Amino acid sequence: MKKENISQNNHDWYKPMSFYQIWVRSFCDGNGDGIGDLYGVYDKLEYIKSLGVDGIWFSPIYPSPNADFGYDISDYKDIHPDFGDLDQFKRVLNKAHSLGLKIIMDLVINHTSDEHPWFIESRKGKDNPYSDYYIWRDKPNNWKSLFEGEAWEYDPIRGQYYLHIFAKKQPDLNMDNPKVRQEVKDIMRFWLDMGVDGFREDVINFISKKEGLPDGLSFLPAATGMSHYKDGPHIHEYLSEFRKVCNEYDCFQLGEGPMTTVNSAMKYLTGKTKSLDMMFSFDHMMADCLYTEYLHRPFSLIKLKKAFTKWQNALNGKAWNALYLENHDHPRIISRYGSEYFWRESGTMLAASYIFQQGTPFIYQGQEIGMTNIKLMSIDQYMDVSSITNYHTYHLKEDPERRLHRIHLSSRDSARTPMQWNATDNAGFSKVKPWFYINPNYKRVNVAKEEPDSLSILNFYRKCLSLRKSSETLIYGQYTEHFPKDKNIYMYERSLDDESYLVICSFSRFPVKAHKPPKFSGCHGELVLCNYPDMKTDPHAGIVGNIHLGLNEQELKKGYLRPYETRVYRYIRRR
Ligand code: NOJ
Ligand code: CA
């Protein structure tokens, strides 16, 4: 890409930025009740800043009965008492701003909690002002819920069924009702007036349902009906109303788009229907599973590379990617796409595999220290509604141990264990027993241990973010993948004018040889980042754990990569 093209529409403020996602309940307990809160967040803002990120996305921190841990909201304009109150939120916001960190809130408008006053009123009958805030029918259609069986629940008070695409305690709002859309705009203004900088919009492509709610078909039972509520008939109309509010404030909007395809995403991100600045897509989260992590399959690097490159190529010059490998909805990435044995090596390599792509990187709490999946002993110990449903719905002919193993591989709960701050009791997360299990590896995997270690995963994330920020090429440059068919190595280039960065990532547990792309033959690249120590200066550089890799400096020069090694080279083309 030529430098002059950057200026066309690329100077939006969020493009050079990177974000840290906080799931507050498990981040840091500041008031000693075992639950993470905004007092803990306040104390850790300097740590977040030290990572080199520029903003924070808060998963929902509003009052909620926690049927889906905050994604079932009972009051959009307050703070969950477990987390603090509005004054404490304002303190966090002000301190974050003074540190140069933006704050993005989660906007969950596809559904509320069934304990939201709107629903409590709505269920009372057909003649109250909230009657049409939700989707009520005398007879259900065949849609299935993504979290809990049928998508319809009979309400004996109202004598009708209500729609819930997610859990039973998450009734879907009726976005066709202009009063509901007005409420959404009021909620947006409430937070924007307080000073927040934007929204991450939950399952935003699901909010408009097809008229008449016809029966649906799907090869995935849980998605029955989805073709009638994904990218529904009025979605762009409704989102353009919300966009107008955001435009008044120069805020940014990031939509979560489950099952979104490149083509449908482009409608949200470009042209006349542009209503979002970025979208979270899911294709790259399916390199070891199908739709839900519960339908597990062996990890395929080829699938991962295809997904990465598809989105990079499609959006290049037209839209902007939201880059992530982890969030509160997915198991930990080292346990999925890396190796817990080559923990440090794969944790660092995975960072480089996505942070240098074109887009705004998001890092989920604990990802930066290489937290891994937790293995609980019984399904009763898991808390996440979708894990519990999956266990009781799929693979029922298998023995319980095998089914539990599937939950271990797939559960969202692995992302929700308390953050590991140090090796003291309760991992430094709380002075008392935390609300949820701590991963037993906390004595080895924690912030305090990684801080002083120049080769740690934590410090590698810092190096990646600072390298990205230092270079217009790494932010705006053209993305090109090399050797897409290689089953061990993911190699991509970012280029702008006469500068190129080549990012090489080995996904192999064995030494593998990386070839130079022909365009670089004869060119000498400068090694600007590597996740292994230098062979020349460190006698342990060829050793991982107790294994001597048998590689010497000569072999490294010939292009051999150590297990999960990543290297970033910078090339300048002479004119
Ligand atoms: C997506 C959120 O990220 C997830 O945590 C939640 O369960 C569903 N949307 C429903 O709100
Ligand atoms: Ca607390």
Side-chain angles (χ1 to χ4, degrees), residues 68 71 108 111 147 166 170 200 202-203 256 328-329 412 416:
D68 189 20
Y71 285 89
V108 187
H111 44 265
F147 280 180
F166 292 91
Q170 292 172 296
R200 175 268 187 191
D202 191 65
V203 294
E256 186 209 24
H328 64 291
D329 284 337
R412 305 195 296 180
R416 300 174 179 190

Side-chain angles (χ1 to χ4, degrees), residues 28-39 82-83 430:
C28 180
D29 175 19
N31 66 356
D33 63 356
I35 299 174
D37 50 46
L38 291 173
Y39 310 102
D82 285 349
F83 301 156
S430 174

Side-chain angles (χ1 to χ4, degrees), residues 327-396:
N327 62 38
H328 64 291
D329 284 337
H330 302 280
R332 296 289 184 173
I333 203 66
I334 293 179
S335 307
R336 297 179 65 185
Y337 295 179
S339 153
E340 290 182 15
Y341 182 79
F342 291 106
W343 166 72
R344 194 198 65 78
E345 293 75 14
S346 65
T348 45
M349 179 282 291
L350 285 162
S353 76
Y354 85 108
I355 286 179
F356 299 121
Q357 291 183 27
Q358 191 187 69
T360 297
F362 286 75
I363 295 158
Y364 178 62
Q365 68 188 40
Q367 179 187 343
E368 80 279 19
I369 55 168
M371 283 177 63
T372 57
N373 283 356
I374 192 166
K375 199 173 194 164
L376 299 174
M377 301 318 288
S378 139
I379 188 64
D380 303 333
Q381 292 178 300
Y382 285 88
M383 309 269 295
D384 167 35
V385 57
S386 67
S387 300
I388 295 165
T389 300
N390 287 343
Y391 180 84
H392 293 293
T393 309
Y394 299 110
H395 307 289
L396 294 179

Side-chain angles (χ1 to χ4, degrees), residues 24 31 33 35-42 58 61-63 75-94 105 190-191 194 196:
V24 174
N31 66 356
D33 63 356
I35 299 174
D37 50 46
L38 291 173
Y39 310 102
V41 171
Y42 186 90
F58 280 114
I61 50 179
Y62 320 102
D75 183 350
Y76 285 95
K77 296 183 182 168
D78 206 347
I79 297 294
H80 197 301
D82 285 349
F83 301 156
D85 54 20
L86 278 171
D87 285 338
Q88 182 58 18
F89 176 73
K90 285 177 198 160
R91 276 180 218 115
V92 169
L93 182 66
N94 290 339
M105 299 296 272
F190 177 84
W191 294 102
M194 204 180 293
V196 311

